[in-house]
Amino acid sequence: LPYSEYENVKDTDSDLIIVGFSQLGSESDWRTANTKSIQRALSKENGFSLIYSNGRQKQENQIKDVRSFIFQEVDYIVIAPETETGWDTVLEEAKEAGIPVIIVDRMIDTADDTLYAAYVGTDKYEEGKKAGLWLEKYLKEQESKDKSSLKKKTYNIAVLEGTLNSTAQIGRSKGFEEIAKTHKEWKILAQESGEFTKAKGKEVMAKYLQEFDDIDILLSQNDDMTFGAIEAIQEDSLTCGVDGKIKIISFDGVSEAFDRMEEGLINVDIECNPLQGQLIANIIERLEKGEVVNKFSYMDEKVFEAENAAAERIGRSY
Ligand code: GYE
C-alpha cells in the first residue's frame, strides 16, 4: 500500500488499531480460509484497520512487506511465515520500532523469543503423528479381516511433502516418521515436495506412478496436493481410497476434501484448523490493554474418516 493511502486510513479512523498482515501466499484452499478468517476478525466493524499483503510463496516478498509495515508505523504486525529461518533481522527492526509481532500458522526458527509477542496456530507435529497412528490402526483392522486386499509383508508408502522447510512440512514429516520408524513393515518409497499446490502434487504423483508400480499408501501433506494426486492416479487408470488400490491420507479438511471422502477417494483427513482470526484479534485486544497473553495458542483439531465424512462436515464453513 502506498504511504499516502495509509495516511488516509489513519486520519479518518484514528480509533482503529492498524495491523499489517503478511500472508505467505494463496497456494491452497486452506490458505484462502485462513486469510478470510483473519480479514473477518480484523475488520473495521471490530475496530481494526487491516493492511493485507500476499507474499506469493516467497519469503523475500514477505520481508519487504514487513519492512513496509514498519515504515508505515502500523500498531501491530501479523506474519504467517513461508519458511522457518531467516526472520531475525526484520523482526529486530520491528522490535526497535516498538511494533509487537504475532506469528500465525507456521512458526519461525529463532533463538530470541522476545522478537515476537505471541504465536497462534496448529501443532503440525501432532498432525503428522495422528496420520501415523491412523495408519497403524487401519492396517491392523485390515490384517484382521480374512479377505483384505491390503494384507502384505511390506506396505509401500509414497509421501507428497509440502513446501520444504516450512513448519507444516517439517512437523508433519517428523510426526509421521516417528510412528513409521516403529514399523519395520512400512517402507517409505519416496518423499518429495509438491509445494502444497494441486498442480505440483499431480506432477510429482504422476512421476511416482511411473517409478513405482506398487504404491499401497499415499501420505499427502495437504488437500490441494491430494486433489492433484487423485487426478494423476485416475489418469493412470488406477484406483484409490476406501475400495481402491492406493489408500490416501490427507491433511487440512477443506470442503472439497469432504466431497472426495464422501466419494470414497480419500480414506482419512487430518484436520488443520485455519480459523485463527478471532484468536489473533483477542490477543491484540489484550495487548492493547497491557494484559499478559499466552505465548503459544494452538487450535483444536480432529481426524475425519471417509465413513463419517457426511456427518462430520455439517456446520463447517470452508
Ligand atoms: O496445510 C496447506 C497450506 O501451513 C498449515 O499450508 C499450513 C499449510 C496447509 O498451504 O494447505
Side-chain angles (χ1 to χ4, degrees), residues 59-129:
Q59 185 185 35
E60 52 183 277
N61 293 342
Q62 287 200 279
I63 289 174
K64 273 188 208 142
D65 293 336
V66 173
R67 291 218 163 99
S68 122
F69 297 152
I70 297 170
F71 177 71
Q72 294 174 68
E73 298 179 347
V74 300
D75 299 316
Y76 293 85
I77 293 174
V78 173
I79 307 174
E82 166 83 349
T83 43
E84 292 200 344
T85 54
W87 292 98
D88 282 42
T89 308
V90 75
L91 292 184
E92 273 155 21
E93 290 165 23
K95 189 178 173 184
E96 225 158 84
I99 305 172
V101 172
I102 298 165
I103 307 292
V104 306
D105 170 24
R106 299 178 185 169
M107 198 33 200
I108 57 164
D109 180 3
T110 178
D112 180 0
D113 71 0
T114 69
L115 292 179
Y116 58 95
Y119 166 83
V120 173
T122 59
D123 191 336
K124 281 92 175 163
Y125 171 72
E126 268 306 312
E127 292 165 5
K129 265 175 71 175

Coordinates of all heavy atoms in Angstrom, one line a residue, residues 59-129:
Q59 N 9.6 -15.8 0.7 CA 10.0 -15.1 1.9 C 10.5 -13.7 1.7 O 10.2 -12.8 2.5 CB 11.1 -15.9 2.7 CG 11.4 -15.3 4.0 CD 12.5 -16.0 4.7 OE1 13.4 -16.5 4.1 NE2 12.4 -16.1 6.1
E60 N 11.2 -13.5 0.6 CA 11.8 -12.2 0.3 C 10.7 -11.1 0.1 O 10.8 -10.0 0.5 CB 12.7 -12.2 -0.9 CG 12.1 -12.8 -2.1 CD 13.1 -12.9 -3.3 OE1 13.2 -11.9 -4.0 OE2 13.7 -14.0 -3.5
N61 N 9.6 -11.6 -0.5 CA 8.4 -10.6 -0.6 C 7.9 -10.3 0.8 O 7.5 -9.2 1.1 CB 7.3 -11.3 -1.4 CG 7.6 -11.5 -2.9 OD1 8.6 -10.9 -3.4 ND2 6.9 -12.3 -3.5
Q62 N 7.8 -11.3 1.6 CA 7.2 -11.1 3.0 C 8.1 -10.2 3.8 O 7.6 -9.3 4.5 CB 7.1 -12.5 3.7 CG 6.0 -13.3 3.2 CD 5.6 -14.4 4.2 OE1 6.3 -15.4 4.3 NE2 4.6 -14.2 5.0
I63 N 9.4 -10.3 3.6 CA 10.3 -9.4 4.4 C 10.1 -8.0 3.9 O 10.0 -7.0 4.7 CB 11.8 -9.9 4.2 CG1 11.9 -11.2 5.1 CG2 12.8 -8.8 4.7 CD1 13.3 -11.9 4.9
K64 N 10.0 -7.8 2.6 CA 9.7 -6.4 2.1 C 8.4 -5.9 2.7 O 8.3 -4.7 3.0 CB 9.6 -6.5 0.6 CG 10.9 -6.3 -0.1 CD 10.7 -6.2 -1.7 CE 11.9 -6.7 -2.4 NZ 11.6 -7.5 -3.6
D65 N 7.4 -6.8 2.7 CA 6.0 -6.3 3.2 C 6.2 -5.9 4.7 O 5.6 -4.9 5.1 CB 5.0 -7.5 3.1 CG 4.7 -7.8 1.6 OD1 4.9 -6.9 0.8 OD2 4.3 -8.9 1.3
V66 N 6.9 -6.7 5.5 CA 7.0 -6.3 6.9 C 7.8 -5.0 7.0 O 7.4 -4.2 7.8 CB 7.8 -7.5 7.6 CG1 8.0 -7.1 9.1 CG2 6.9 -8.7 7.6
R67 N 8.8 -4.8 6.2 CA 9.5 -3.5 6.3 C 8.6 -2.4 5.9 O 8.7 -1.3 6.5 CB 10.7 -3.5 5.3 CG 11.8 -4.5 5.7 CD 13.2 -3.9 5.4 NE 14.1 -4.7 6.2 CZ 14.9 -5.7 5.7 NH1 14.8 -6.0 4.4 NH2 15.7 -6.3 6.5
S68 N 7.7 -2.6 5.0 CA 6.8 -1.5 4.6 C 5.8 -1.2 5.7 O 5.4 -0.1 6.0 CB 6.1 -1.8 3.3 OG 4.7 -1.8 3.4
F69 N 5.4 -2.3 6.5 CA 4.5 -2.1 7.6 C 5.3 -1.2 8.7 O 4.7 -0.3 9.3 CB 4.1 -3.4 8.3 CG 3.3 -4.3 7.4 CD1 3.4 -5.7 7.6 CD2 2.5 -3.8 6.4 CE1 2.6 -6.5 6.8 CE2 1.7 -4.6 5.6 CZ 1.8 -6.0 5.8
I70 N 6.5 -1.5 8.9 CA 7.3 -0.8 9.9 C 7.4 0.7 9.5 O 7.2 1.6 10.2 CB 8.7 -1.4 10.0 CG1 8.7 -2.8 10.6 CG2 9.6 -0.5 11.0 CD1 10.0 -3.6 10.5
F71 N 7.7 0.9 8.2 CA 7.8 2.3 7.6 C 6.4 3.0 7.8 O 6.4 4.2 8.1 CB 8.2 2.2 6.1 CG 8.2 3.5 5.4 CD1 9.2 4.4 5.7 CD2 7.2 3.9 4.5 CE1 9.3 5.6 5.1 CE2 7.3 5.1 3.9 CZ 8.3 6.0 4.2
Q72 N 5.3 2.3 7.6 CA 4.0 2.9 7.8 C 3.6 3.1 9.2 O 2.5 3.6 9.5 CB 3.0 2.1 7.1 CG 3.2 2.0 5.6 CD 2.2 1.0 4.9 OE1 1.0 1.3 4.9 NE2 2.7 0.0 4.4
E73 N 4.4 2.6 10.1 CA 4.2 2.8 11.6 C 2.8 2.1 12.0 O 2.0 2.8 12.7 CB 4.2 4.2 12.0 CG 5.6 4.9 11.8 CD 5.7 6.3 12.2 OE1 4.6 6.9 12.4 OE2 6.8 6.8 12.3
V74 N 2.6 0.9 11.6 CA 1.4 0.2 12.0 C 1.5 -0.1 13.5 O 2.6 0.0 14.1 CB 1.2 -1.1 11.2 CG1 1.1 -0.9 9.7 CG2 2.4 -2.1 11.5
D75 N 0.4 -0.4 14.1 CA 0.4 -0.7 15.5 C 0.8 -2.2 15.8 O 1.4 -2.4 16.9 CB -1.1 -0.5 16.1 CG -1.5 0.9 15.9 OD1 -0.7 1.8 16.2 OD2 -2.7 1.1 15.5
Y76 N 0.4 -3.1 15.0 CA 0.8 -4.5 15.1 C 1.2 -5.1 13.8 O 0.6 -4.7 12.8 CB -0.3 -5.3 15.7 CG -0.7 -4.9 17.1 CD1 -1.6 -3.8 17.4 CD2 -0.1 -5.5 18.2 CE1 -1.8 -3.4 18.7 CE2 -0.4 -5.1 19.5 CZ -1.2 -4.1 19.7 OH -1.5 -3.7 21.0
I77 N 2.0 -6.1 13.8 CA 2.3 -6.9 12.6 C 2.0 -8.3 12.8 O 2.4 -8.9 13.9 CB 3.8 -6.7 12.2 CG1 4.1 -5.2 11.8 CG2 4.2 -7.7 11.1 CD1 5.6 -4.9 11.6
V78 N 1.3 -8.9 11.9 CA 0.9 -10.3 11.9 C 1.6 -11.0 10.7 O 1.5 -10.5 9.6 CB -0.6 -10.5 11.8 CG1 -1.0 -12.0 11.7 CG2 -1.3 -9.9 13.0
I79 N 2.4 -12.0 11.0 CA 3.1 -12.7 9.9 C 2.7 -14.2 9.9 O 2.9 -14.9 10.9 CB 4.6 -12.6 10.1 CG1 5.1 -11.2 10.3 CG2 5.3 -13.3 8.9 CD1 6.6 -11.0 10.6
A80 N 2.3 -14.7 8.7 CA 2.2 -16.2 8.5 C 3.4 -16.5 7.7 O 3.4 -16.3 6.4 CB 0.9 -16.5 7.8
P81 N 4.5 -17.0 8.3 CA 5.8 -17.1 7.5 C 5.8 -18.4 6.6 O 5.4 -19.5 7.0 CB 6.8 -17.3 8.7 CG 6.0 -17.8 9.8 CD 4.6 -17.4 9.7
E82 N 6.4 -18.2 5.4 CA 6.6 -19.2 4.5 C 7.4 -20.4 5.0 O 7.0 -21.5 5.1 CB 7.2 -18.6 3.2 CG 7.8 -19.6 2.2 CD 6.7 -20.2 1.3 OE1 5.5 -20.0 1.5 OE2 7.1 -20.8 0.3
T83 N 8.7 -20.0 5.4 CA 9.6 -21.0 5.9 C 10.1 -20.5 7.3 O 9.8 -19.4 7.7 CB 10.8 -21.2 5.0 OG1 11.2 -19.9 4.5 CG2 10.4 -22.0 3.8
E84 N 10.8 -21.4 8.0 CA 11.1 -21.1 9.4 C 12.3 -20.1 9.7 O 12.2 -19.3 10.6 CB 11.3 -22.4 10.2 CG 10.1 -23.2 10.3 CD 10.1 -24.2 11.4 OE1 11.2 -24.5 11.9 OE2 9.0 -24.8 11.7
T85 N 13.3 -20.2 8.8 CA 14.6 -19.5 9.2 C 14.6 -18.1 8.5 O 13.9 -17.9 7.5 CB 15.8 -20.3 8.9 OG1 15.7 -20.7 7.5 CG2 16.0 -21.5 9.7
G86 N 15.5 -17.3 8.9 CA 15.8 -16.0 8.2 C 15.0 -14.8 8.6 O 14.9 -13.9 7.9
W87 N 14.3 -14.9 9.8 CA 13.4 -13.8 10.1 C 14.0 -12.8 11.1 O 13.5 -11.7 11.4 CB 12.1 -14.4 10.7 CG 11.3 -15.1 9.7 CD1 11.3 -16.4 9.5 CD2 10.5 -14.5 8.7 NE1 10.4 -16.7 8.4 CE2 9.9 -15.5 7.9 CE3 10.1 -13.2 8.5 CZ2 9.0 -15.3 6.9 CZ3 9.2 -12.9 7.4 CH2 8.7 -14.0 6.6
D88 N 15.2 -13.2 11.7 CA 15.7 -12.4 12.9 C 15.9 -10.9 12.5 O 15.5 -10.0 13.3 CB 17.0 -13.0 13.4 CG 16.7 -14.2 14.3 OD1 15.8 -15.0 13.9 OD2 17.3 -14.3 15.3
T89 N 16.5 -10.6 11.4 CA 16.9 -9.2 11.1 C 15.6 -8.3 11.0 O 15.6 -7.3 11.7 CB 17.7 -9.1 9.8 OG1 18.7 -10.0 9.9 CG2 18.2 -7.7 9.5
V90 N 14.7 -8.7 10.3 CA 13.5 -7.9 10.1 C 12.7 -7.8 11.4 O 12.1 -6.8 11.7 CB 12.6 -8.3 8.9 CG1 11.8 -9.6 9.1 CG2 11.7 -7.2 8.4
L91 N 12.7 -8.9 12.2 CA 12.0 -8.8 13.4 C 12.7 -7.9 14.4 O 12.0 -7.3 15.3 CB 11.8 -10.2 14.0 CG 10.9 -11.2 13.2 CD1 10.7 -12.5 13.9 CD2 9.5 -10.5 13.0
E92 N 14.0 -7.9 14.3 CA 14.7 -6.9 15.2 C 14.4 -5.5 14.8 O 14.2 -4.6 15.7 CB 16.2 -7.1 15.1 CG 16.7 -8.2 16.0 CD 18.0 -8.9 15.6 OE1 18.7 -8.3 14.7 OE2 18.3 -10.0 16.0
E93 N 14.2 -5.3 13.5 CA 13.8 -3.9 13.1 C 12.4 -3.6 13.6 O 12.2 -2.4 14.1 CB 13.7 -3.9 11.5 CG 15.2 -3.9 10.9 CD 15.1 -4.2 9.4 OE1 14.1 -4.0 8.7 OE2 16.2 -4.7 8.9
A94 N 11.5 -4.5 13.6 CA 10.1 -4.3 14.2 C 10.2 -4.0 15.7 O 9.6 -3.1 16.2 CB 9.2 -5.5 13.9
K95 N 11.1 -4.8 16.3 CA 11.2 -4.6 17.8 C 11.8 -3.2 18.1 O 11.3 -2.5 19.0 CB 12.2 -5.7 18.3 CG 12.2 -5.7 19.8 CD 13.2 -6.8 20.3 CE 13.4 -6.8 21.8 NZ 14.3 -7.8 22.2
E96 N 12.7 -2.8 17.3 CA 13.3 -1.5 17.5 C 12.3 -0.4 17.3 O 12.3 0.7 18.0 CB 14.5 -1.3 16.5 CG 15.7 -0.7 17.1 CD 16.9 -1.1 16.2 OE1 17.1 -0.3 15.3 OE2 17.5 -2.1 16.5
A97 N 11.4 -0.6 16.4 CA 10.3 0.4 16.1 C 9.2 0.3 17.1 O 8.2 1.0 17.1 CB 9.8 0.2 14.7
G98 N 9.3 -0.7 18.0 CA 8.3 -0.8 19.1 C 7.0 -1.4 18.6 O 5.9 -1.2 19.2
I99 N 7.0 -2.2 17.5 CA 5.8 -2.8 17.0 C 5.7 -4.3 17.4 O 6.6 -5.1 16.9 CB 5.7 -2.7 15.4 CG1 5.9 -1.2 15.0 CG2 4.4 -3.2 14.9 CD1 6.0 -1.0 13.5
P100 N 4.7 -4.7 18.2 CA 4.6 -6.1 18.5 C 4.3 -6.9 17.3 O 3.5 -6.5 16.5 CB 3.5 -6.1 19.5 CG 3.2 -4.7 19.9 CD 3.7 -3.8 18.8
V101 N 4.8 -8.1 17.3 CA 4.6 -9.0 16.1 C 3.9 -10.3 16.6 O 4.3 -10.9 17.7 CB 6.0 -9.4 15.5 CG1 5.8 -10.5 14.4 CG2 6.7 -8.2 14.9
I102 N 2.9 -10.7 15.9 CA 2.3 -12.0 16.2 C 2.5 -13.0 15.0 O 2.3 -12.6 13.9 CB 0.8 -11.8 16.4 CG1 0.6 -10.9 17.6 CG2 0.0 -13.2 16.6 CD1 -0.8 -10.3 17.7
I103 N 3.1 -14.1 15.3 CA 3.3 -15.1 14.3 C 2.1 -16.0 14.2 O 1.7 -16.5 15.3 CB 4.6 -15.9 14.6 CG1 5.8 -15.1 14.9 CG2 4.9 -17.0 13.6 CD1 6.4 -14.3 13.7
V104 N 1.6 -16.3 13.0 CA 0.5 -17.2 12.9 C 0.8 -18.3 11.9 O 1.6 -18.3 11.1 CB -0.8 -16.4 12.4 CG1 -1.1 -15.2 13.4 CG2 -0.7 -16.0 11.0
D105 N 0.0 -19.4 12.1 CA 0.0 -20.6 11.3 C 1.3 -21.3 11.4 O 1.5 -22.2 12.3 CB -0.3 -20.3 9.8 CG -0.1 -21.5 8.9 OD1 -0.1 -22.6 9.4 OD2 0.1 -21.3 7.7
R106 N 2.3 -21.0 10.6 CA 3.6 -21.6 10.7 C 4.5 -20.9 11.7 O 4.2 -19.7 12.0 CB 4.3 -21.7 9.3 CG 3.5 -22.4 8.3 CD 4.1 -22.4 6.9 NE 3.2 -23.0 5.9 CZ 3.4 -23.0 4.6 NH1 4.4 -22.3 4.1 NH2 2.5 -23.6 3.8
M107 N 5.5 -21.6 12.1 CA 6.4 -21.0 13.2 C 7.7 -20.5 12.6 O 8.0 -20.8 11.4 CB 6.7 -22.1 14.2 CG 7.2 -21.6 15.6 SD 6.5 -20.0 16.1 CE 7.7 -19.6 17.3
I108 N 8.4 -19.7 13.3 CA 9.8 -19.3 12.9 C 10.8 -19.9 13.8 O 10.5 -20.3 14.9 CB 9.9 -17.7 13.0 CG1 9.6 -17.2 14.4 CG2 9.0 -17.0 12.0 CD1 10.2 -15.8 14.6
D109 N 12.0 -20.0 13.3 CA 13.1 -20.6 14.0 C 14.0 -19.5 14.4 O 14.7 -18.9 13.6 CB 13.8 -21.6 13.0 CG 15.0 -22.2 13.7 OD1 15.2 -22.0 14.9 OD2 15.7 -23.0 13.0
T110 N 14.0 -19.1 15.7 CA 14.8 -18.1 16.2 C 15.3 -18.4 17.6 O 14.6 -19.1 18.4 CB 14.1 -16.7 16.2 OG1 15.0 -15.7 16.8 CG2 12.8 -16.7 17.1
A111 N 16.5 -17.9 18.0 CA 17.0 -18.1 19.3 C 16.4 -17.1 20.3 O 16.5 -17.2 21.5 CB 18.5 -18.1 19.3
D112 N 15.8 -16.0 19.7 CA 15.4 -14.9 20.6 C 13.9 -14.8 20.6 O 13.3 -14.2 19.7 CB 16.0 -13.6 20.0 CG 15.6 -12.4 20.8 OD1 14.9 -12.5 21.8 OD2 16.1 -11.3 20.4
D113 N 13.2 -15.3 21.6 CA 11.8 -15.3 21.6 C 11.2 -14.0 22.0 O 9.9 -13.9 22.1 CB 11.2 -16.5 22.4 CG 11.4 -16.4 23.9 OD1 12.0 -15.4 24.3 OD2 10.9 -17.3 24.6
T114 N 12.0 -13.0 22.3 CA 11.5 -11.6 22.5 C 11.1 -11.0 21.2 O 10.6 -9.9 21.2 CB 12.4 -10.7 23.3 OG1 13.5 -10.4 22.4 CG2 12.9 -11.4 24.6
L115 N 11.5 -11.6 20.1 CA 11.2 -11.0 18.8 C 9.7 -11.1 18.3 O 9.3 -10.5 17.4 CB 12.1 -11.6 17.7 CG 13.6 -11.4 17.8 CD1 14.4 -12.1 16.7 CD2 13.9 -9.9 17.8
Y116 N 9.0 -11.9 19.1 CA 7.5 -11.9 18.8 C 6.7 -12.0 20.1 O 7.2 -12.6 21.1 CB 7.2 -13.1 17.9 CG 7.5 -14.5 18.4 CD1 6.6 -15.2 19.1 CD2 8.8 -15.0 18.2 CE1 7.0 -16.5 19.6 CE2 9.2 -16.2 18.8 CZ 8.3 -16.9 19.5 OH 8.6 -18.2 20.0
A117 N 5.6 -11.4 20.1 CA 4.7 -11.3 21.3 C 4.0 -12.6 21.5 O 3.8 -13.0 22.7 CB 3.7 -10.2 21.2
A118 N 3.5 -13.2 20.4 CA 2.7 -14.4 20.6 C 2.7 -15.2 19.3 O 3.0 -14.7 18.2 CB 1.3 -14.1 21.0
Y119 N 2.4 -16.5 19.4 CA 2.2 -17.4 18.3 C 0.8 -18.0 18.3 O 0.3 -18.4 19.4 CB 3.2 -18.5 18.2 CG 2.8 -19.6 17.3 CD1 3.1 -19.5 15.9 CD2 2.1 -20.8 17.7 CE1 2.7 -20.5 15.0 CE2 1.8 -21.8 16.8 CZ 2.1 -21.6 15.5 OH 1.7 -22.6 14.6
V120 N 0.1 -18.0 17.2 CA -1.2 -18.6 17.1 C -1.2 -19.6 15.9 O -0.8 -19.2 14.8 CB -2.3 -17.6 16.8 CG1 -3.7 -18.2 16.5 CG2 -2.5 -16.6 17.9
G121 N -1.6 -20.8 16.1 CA -1.5 -21.8 15.0 C -1.9 -23.2 15.4 O -2.8 -23.4 16.3
T122 N -1.3 -24.1 14.7 CA -1.7 -25.5 14.9 C -0.4 -26.3 15.2 O 0.7 -25.9 14.8 CB -2.4 -26.1 13.6 OG1 -1.5 -25.9 12.5 CG2 -3.7 -25.3 13.3
D123 N -0.6 -27.5 15.7 CA 0.5 -28.4 16.1 C 0.7 -29.4 14.9 O 0.1 -30.4 14.9 CB 0.2 -29.1 17.4 CG 1.5 -29.8 17.9 OD1 2.4 -30.1 17.1 OD2 1.6 -30.0 19.1
K124 N 1.6 -29.0 14.0 CA 1.8 -29.9 12.8 C 2.5 -31.2 13.1 O 2.3 -32.2 12.4 CB 2.6 -29.1 11.8 CG 1.9 -28.1 11.0 CD 1.9 -26.8 11.6 CE 1.2 -25.7 10.8 NZ 1.0 -24.5 11.6
Y125 N 3.3 -31.2 14.2 CA 4.0 -32.4 14.6 C 2.9 -33.4 15.1 O 2.9 -34.6 14.7 CB 5.0 -32.1 15.7 CG 5.6 -33.4 16.3 CD1 6.5 -34.2 15.7 CD2 5.2 -33.7 17.6 CE1 7.0 -35.3 16.3 CE2 5.7 -34.8 18.2 CZ 6.6 -35.6 17.6 OH 7.1 -36.7 18.1
E126 N 2.0 -32.9 15.9 CA 0.9 -33.8 16.3 C 0.0 -34.3 15.1 O -0.4 -35.5 15.1 CB -0.1 -33.0 17.2 CG 0.3 -33.1 18.7 CD 0.4 -34.5 19.2 OE1 -0.5 -35.3 18.9 OE2 1.4 -34.8 19.9
E127 N -0.2 -33.4 14.1 CA -0.9 -33.8 12.9 C -0.2 -35.0 12.3 O -0.9 -36.0 11.9 CB -1.1 -32.7 12.0 CG -2.0 -31.5 12.5 CD -1.9 -30.2 11.8 OE1 -1.1 -30.2 10.7 OE2 -2.5 -29.2 12.2
G128 N 1.1 -34.9 12.1 CA 1.9 -36.0 11.5 C 1.7 -37.3 12.3 O 1.6 -38.4 11.7
K129 N 1.8 -37.2 13.6 CA 1.7 -38.4 14.4 C 0.3 -39.0 14.3 O 0.1 -40.2 14.2 CB 1.9 -38.0 15.9 CG 3.4 -38.3 16.3 CD 3.7 -37.8 17.7 CE 3.1 -38.7 18.7 NZ 3.5 -38.2 20.1

